[in-house]
Amino acid sequence: MRVEEHPIINFTRGKKVNFFFNGREVEGYEGEPIAAALHAEGIKVLRHTHNKNRPRGFYCAIGNCSSCLMKVDGIPNVRVCVEALREGMHVQTQSGRGELRDNN
Ligand code: FES
């Protein structure tokens, strides 16, 4: 199943692109929400909670909760339900709160 429309973001499905989920090459369509591409690939667990390490996936799908926080191209806490997919992205399951990189 693939998400075709979104209630708050207007996305146009672009060309088929490859990206990486936890180091594994997968496919999606440029411009669709990352979570939608993962869902279409059968990937339902997007992160694990800080306190009890419980799995979380799509919930609100409109950027209002924190269920879909993932690490994208090294940046933690990205809400992948409203983040557009691009060729070559590296998307990782996040555990806990995620750590920000120190840019100093
Ligand atoms: S699923 Fe709620 S913010 Fe993404």
Side-chain angles (χ1 to χ4, degrees), residues 31-102:
E32 71 177 340
I34 295 169
L38 292 172
H39 191 80
E41 287 278 341
I43 298 162
K44 307 288 193 313
V45 176
L46 306 179
R47 73 176 185 100
H48 292 89
T49 62
H50 174 67
N51 289 337
K52 297 189 176 178
N53 201 34
R54 291 183 173 151
R56 293 290 181 258
F58 251 144
Y59 184 65
C60 74
I62 58 172
N64 270 350
C65 71
S66 58
S67 190
C68 69
L69 297 179
M70 297 185 83
K71 193 171 185 180
V72 178
D73 291 336
I75 300 170
N77 302 321
V78 175
R79 286 181 164 83
V80 296
C81 68
V82 291
E83 185 72 22
L85 181 66
R86 295 184 311 275
E87 172 86 50
M89 282 179 136
H90 288 264
V91 179
Q92 294 172 266
T93 304
Q94 183 171 311
S95 292
R97 296 186 175 120
E99 294 179 20
L100 293 172
R101 289 184 292 192
D102 185 0

